[in-house]
Amino acid sequence: MKFVEAIKQRVAAIRKASKYLPHLHGIEHVFSSARTGDSLYEIDNYMEFAGIYNSYVWVRKAVNVLVESLAPLPVRVVDSNGKPLKSHPLNDLFGYINDTTTPSQHWQQYFIHLILGGENPVELVTNKAKTKVIEMWNRRPDRLWILPDYARLNYPRIAEFVFYGQDADPIRVPASHMVFDRFYNPRNVWRGITVLGALRTGVKLDVAGQRWNESIVTTGAKPEYAVTTKKFLTDGEKERLEQQIMDKHGTGRPLMLDDETTVVPYSWAPKDMEWVEQRRFARDEIGGLFGIPDEIMGYGKDTYDNLKMAERLLWRVTLKPYIGRRDSVYTKHFTYTMPLLNKGERVETDVSDVSALQQDDDALLERATKFFNMGVPFNTVDQSLSLGIGAIPGGDVGYLPSNLIPADEMSAPLPAPQTKGVEVLARAQKPSAARTGRALQRIRKQVAADMEAAIEGYFEELANSVVARARANKFARFWHKAITKKAVPDLDVLITDDDVTKLGDIVGSFYLQICQASWETWNKALGLTVEFDADNAAVVAALDQAGEQVRMIDETTKTALQALLKYATEQGWTISQLIKGDENQPGIKALIQETYKNRARTIARTELGTAQNICTLARYKDAGIKEVEVFDNGQDDPDSACRIANGQKWSLKDAQKKLLEHPNCTRAFAPVESKG
């Protein structure tokens, strides 16, 4: 009865306390099992969740991955530009913590408390004068009581914390001296909610599966077979027969039955194996909830590429949000609750040594470089992309890469009357011929990289489409007739007009893009300001060339495919052989891919070079230019004829005859002003 009375007293105490402590409302025991007469895992409080962390392998693995990744990262104060401050009181605090705990140990405790308890309180200890925070101490969430500000219960704010530690007397901590980080709990505005709460059922079932497996292994609960005999056996005879069978077959102890002697093997029924699948499900459930890829958990495909991608995914999807929430909680506390940060300053975790995030930095730097090379002022780039470098002298002026000439000196128009929508610029403001030629080459190279990827994607898709059509019933009928009559079938069944149209759309769109990207360079070179218009005669002239190039590419593809079909009909191939090919002749998919393998770049640069130069010469002709200067023979174009042509001055008529010298040619033209 003493036990029952003690329980009653405990319940009464909680009810009484909940009258004054709103955060205790709704507390109940939510997880226990009486299946075997004992408690399985009572995980409705911090210590029970800690017990799971201590004994359950996949929870331990998941928590350790998070904690061991996050705990060593330095925490510091940065200014409004993201630049670390060398001297700041909080930097001293973050580097010291307290007299028994290192920073890494402190943050390890921090994240374990946050994950297991759904919250983490950190007490800030000040000096006697209360002018400086000298130590930080993590406090266990289950030993912390919260006293609300009763004057504003509809606008919840904590007035005070009470920590029940190892001493008999509790520690009362004002809200300003406790950094309280917690996951939002929709059932209790005062306390956090643990991540592990969502795993209750999965853990319960998995632990039950482990116990079932343990009972099978340790007690022989499921024998492998039964031995029956017709005559009665004494205990000694049973033991002798059991031992003989076990010694001979190396098996577990059999089930001995006094009946007609037979050996009956026992197999596992599907329902008896369900716990194995349940164990896999629980493992996946834990990894999914914590946001940890299979490869990091230890059961995925651990190839180098997979691990590299999994590590990036872990940091970007899971770990960075943890870092961000901690930084924001501390920034807010030290900005408003205990003001130790100046305006613009914030707490930030240093992730500069995290290799998985360096790739993101590389991509960001590449973007910044492209913007800067386009003439965007450095300070604008820094602010827009949040590089964290800060303003630099001269950073408000845009520059172009060639000798770092201020962009406004090249493009700023002088006041002049407008004539038919065209503003005339002073000749002194026009860029040099060399700068114009190199600028056109750079533009072509940048657009060609995108076109190269688009062409590769087109032929990959075309190869898959042709294979699918070859497997369809319609082509099977054509192929049967072709094999019977030894006649090559019509290619229209495999390559359709839609395929050609799609290629035309790709080529045409990049022809238009190269003209638009080059437009402003031509404006500056000619001293004009003409708005880009797709119906402009110069653009139309370039686009007309696109149809011819598409026709040539389509004919090349069809010629190669025609040769394959001819070979296949002669050999009497099946459709499967037609798709796969043999050692002498590649199949359909390989043929289409190999026809343009390593040629996408050549096609892109050559076609765009042709389109750009057609539009270039048309723009120059409209502006009254008679001669052009040739710019050729860059580092990607060591051709001897190009070396000779480089720097020469040609008439427009001669330039139109030699738009390019060869495939991949980098030739570009700059206008030559007439001396008259």
Side-chain angles (χ1 to χ4, degrees):
M1 293 298 293
K2 290 182 178 180
F3 174 76
V4 175
E5 290 300 323
I7 293 296
K8 289 181 178 180
Q9 291 176 7
R10 177 62 176 163
V11 171
I14 291 178
R15 287 176 177 172
K16 183 178 180 180
S18 67
K19 180 178 180 182
Y20 303 100
L21 302 173
H23 71 275
L24 290 180
H25 280 299
I27 286 184
E28 58 179 323
H29 186 78
V30 296
F31 188 79
S32 62
S33 171
R35 182 176 180 273
T36 57
D38 61 338
S39 177
L40 190 62
Y41 268 120
E42 298 177 356
I43 50 178
D44 61 333
N45 58 50
Y46 179 84
M47 287 305 295
E48 296 300 341
F49 283 122
I52 291 179
Y53 168 67
N54 182 63
S55 60
Y56 190 70
V57 59
W58 293 117
V59 170
R60 170 70 73 87
K61 172 70 175 181
V63 174
N64 282 358
V65 166
L66 299 180
V67 172
E68 291 171 5
S69 299
L70 296 170
L73 298 176
V75 181
R76 74 279 174 88
V77 177
V78 300
D79 62 18
S80 58
N81 293 317
K83 184 177 180 180
L85 300 178
K86 295 181 179 179
S87 177
H88 196 283
L90 288 182
N91 284 342
D92 298 336
L93 179 64
F94 293 144
Y96 172 68
I97 304 299
N98 59 57
D99 60 349
T100 63
T101 309
T102 66
S104 181
Q105 291 170 336
H106 171 80
W107 297 119
Q108 181 184 43
Q109 296 169 15
Y110 176 94
F111 285 111
I112 288 178
H113 285 168
L114 190 63
I115 294 169
L116 300 185
E119 59 189 41
N120 183 72
V122 176
E123 182 183 353
L124 305 175
V125 180
T126 61
N127 56 10
K128 291 183 178 180
K130 296 185 178 181
T131 58
K132 181 180 180 181
V133 180
I134 57 175
E135 290 184 339
M136 300 169 65
W137 290 88
N138 280 299
R139 299 306 186 189
R140 253 178 49 186
D142 61 321
R143 294 181 177 271
L144 188 75
W145 287 57
I146 294 175
L147 301 178
D149 184 346
Y150 290 102
R152 45 176 292 175
L153 290 178
N154 286 331
Y155 303 91
R157 182 174 65 184
I158 298 172
E160 190 177 32
F161 296 88
V162 181
F163 176 68
Y164 292 86
Q166 302 300 319
D167 296 337
D169 297 328
I171 302 174
R172 303 182 75 89
V173 183
S176 61
H177 287 60
M178 187 77 78
V179 182
F180 189 50
D181 188 7
R182 63 189 184 275
F183 292 121
Y184 172 68
N185 186 346
R187 299 178 61 186
N188 190 329
V189 71
W190 306 101
R191 307 307 297 250
I193 186 169
T194 174
V195 177
L196 291 177
L199 295 173
R200 283 189 169 97
T201 302
V203 171
K204 171 185 175 181
L205 293 175
D206 196 29
V207 172
Q210 290 184 63
R211 288 186 174 181
W212 167 251
N213 186 34
E214 181 182 11
S215 67
I216 291 173
V217 175
T218 58
T219 67
K222 184 84 171 182
E224 298 180 40
Y225 50 82
V227 177
T228 62
T229 178
K230 197 168 186 179
K231 66 177 183 177
F232 176 78
L233 298 178
T234 66
D235 291 342
E237 288 175 325
K238 286 183 179 180
E239 291 180 2
R240 178 178 55 81
L241 186 56
E242 286 176 355
Q243 194 61 48
Q244 287 177 348
I245 294 174
M246 290 164 63
D247 291 343
K248 181 176 181 180
H249 299 287
T251 63
R253 185 175 298 278
L255 179 66
M256 303 300 298
L257 303 173
D258 294 335
D259 198 348
E260 184 176 354
T261 304
T262 58
V263 177
V264 182
Y266 282 5
S267 60
W268 291 95
K271 66 177 182 179
D272 293 328
M273 294 300 293
E274 288 180 359
W275 66 271
V276 176
E277 188 61 31
Q278 173 57 40
R279 293 221 65 198
R280 294 194 189 100
F281 178 77
R283 177 194 67 189
D284 295 343
E285 190 177 48
I286 291 169
L289 180 66
F290 280 99
I292 301 176
D294 297 353
E295 292 80 3
I296 305 296
M297 285 290 284
Y299 50 82
K301 297 179 180 179
D302 54 351
T303 64
Y304 175 79
D305 289 338
N306 284 354
L307 283 172
K308 190 174 180 181
M309 181 59 69
E311 185 180 11
R312 290 192 65 194
L313 185 65
L314 173 67
W315 275 98
R316 298 176 68 177
V317 176
T318 303
L319 298 180
K320 285 188 73 174
Y322 270 101
I323 293 171
R325 68 169 294 112
R326 176 184 62 181
D327 293 348
S328 64
V329 166
Y330 275 78
T331 297
K332 182 175 178 60
H333 188 91
F334 289 121
T335 300
Y336 300 103
T337 309
M338 180 183 282
L340 295 176
L341 293 172
N342 296 319
K343 184 178 180 180
E345 294 177 348
R346 65 180 185 272
V347 176
E348 184 178 273
T349 303
D350 182 5
V351 295
S352 58
D353 290 334
V354 179
S355 59
L357 298 178
Q358 293 301 315
Q359 297 178 16
D360 293 342
D361 291 341
D362 292 343
L364 187 64
L365 182 60
E366 183 179 354
R367 290 178 60 197
T369 302
K370 287 183 177 180
F371 281 128
F372 182 72
N373 288 341
M374 291 168 61
V376 179
F378 176 84
N379 290 345
T380 302
V381 175
D382 177 65
Q383 185 177 6
S384 299
L385 299 182
S386 301
L387 299 180
I389 298 175
I392 62 173
D396 293 325
V397 179
Y399 294 88
L400 290 178
S402 298
N403 300 324
L404 296 180
I405 302 299
D408 55 0
E409 293 182 10
M410 296 182 60
S411 59
L414 296 178
Q418 296 187 4
T419 303
K420 297 181 180 180
V422 178
E423 298 178 357
V424 182
L425 301 178
R427 291 186 179 184
Q429 296 297 320
K430 296 179 183 178
S432 66
R435 192 169 299 123
T436 298
R438 300 310 176 200
L440 292 173
Q441 289 174 329
R442 281 195 302 272
I443 292 170
R444 186 190 308 172
K445 190 173 183 180
Q446 291 169 357
V447 178
D450 294 335
M451 184 175 178
E452 177 185 348
I455 290 176
E456 288 178 345
Y458 167 79
F459 281 106
E460 177 70 24
E461 182 181 347
L462 178 64
N464 292 329
S465 298
V466 172
V467 168
R469 292 164 189 161
R471 287 176 172 152
N473 292 334
K474 183 178 180 180
F475 183 76
R477 295 192 297 270
F478 281 96
W479 189 246
H480 176 72
K481 293 180 181 179
I483 293 297
T484 303
K485 299 180 179 180
K486 295 294 181 181
V488 179
D490 193 344
L491 286 177
D492 291 343
V493 182
L494 296 178
I495 297 182
T496 68
D497 291 340
D498 288 342
D499 297 325
V500 181
T501 300
K502 186 177 294 185
L503 177 60
D505 291 341
I506 293 174
V507 174
S509 67
F510 281 101
Y511 270 42
L512 189 64
Q513 185 176 335
I514 190 67
C515 293
Q516 187 170 9
S518 307
W519 200 261
E520 189 59 28
T521 301
W522 294 323
N523 275 347
K524 293 175 183 178
L526 296 171
L528 304 173
T529 300
V530 179
E531 291 185 3
F532 176 79
D533 185 354
D535 294 327
N536 185 285
V539 179
V540 173
L543 292 178
D544 287 343
Q545 183 70 15
E548 178 64 20
Q549 299 305 319
V550 169
R551 185 188 63 78
M552 293 173 59
I553 295 173
D554 180 52
E555 285 184 357
T556 302
T557 306
K558 288 183 176 179
T559 299
L561 192 56
Q562 190 86 13
L564 167 61
L565 295 179
K566 184 176 184 298
Y567 178 86
T569 54
E570 292 173 351
Q571 300 298 318
W573 277 3
T574 63
I575 292 179
S576 179
Q577 289 174 310
L578 178 65
I579 294 172
K580 294 180 180 179
D582 62 13
E583 63 276 6
N584 298 319
Q585 175 68 51
I588 290 177
K589 185 171 184 178
L591 176 73
I592 295 176
Q593 290 175 331
E594 289 182 7
T595 299
Y596 287 93
K597 187 177 182 180
N598 300 324
R599 289 190 59 202
R601 175 174 296 182
T602 300
I603 292 173
R605 291 190 175 185
T606 304
E607 300 311 318
L608 291 180
T610 301
Q612 187 186 49
N613 285 342
I614 289 175
C615 201
T616 296
L617 298 178
R619 283 291 315 267
Y620 294 170
K621 182 179 180 181
D622 289 343
I625 299 297
K626 304 297 183 182
E627 279 190 323
V628 294
E629 185 173 347
V630 181
F631 289 90
D632 213 335
N633 193 235
Q635 61 181 16
D636 297 333
D637 186 8
D639 185 78
S640 57
C642 293
R643 274 201 307 270
I644 296 172
N646 187 43
Q648 290 186 359
K649 291 181 173 59
W650 292 354
S651 67
L652 283 183
K653 187 176 181 180
D654 289 337
Q656 288 168 346
K657 293 178 181 178
K658 296 183 179 180
L659 294 173
L660 298 177
E661 192 68 37
H662 54 80
N664 261 330
C665 185
T666 61
R667 180 169 297 167
F669 302 104
V672 176
E673 295 283 349
S674 65
K675 297 179 180 180

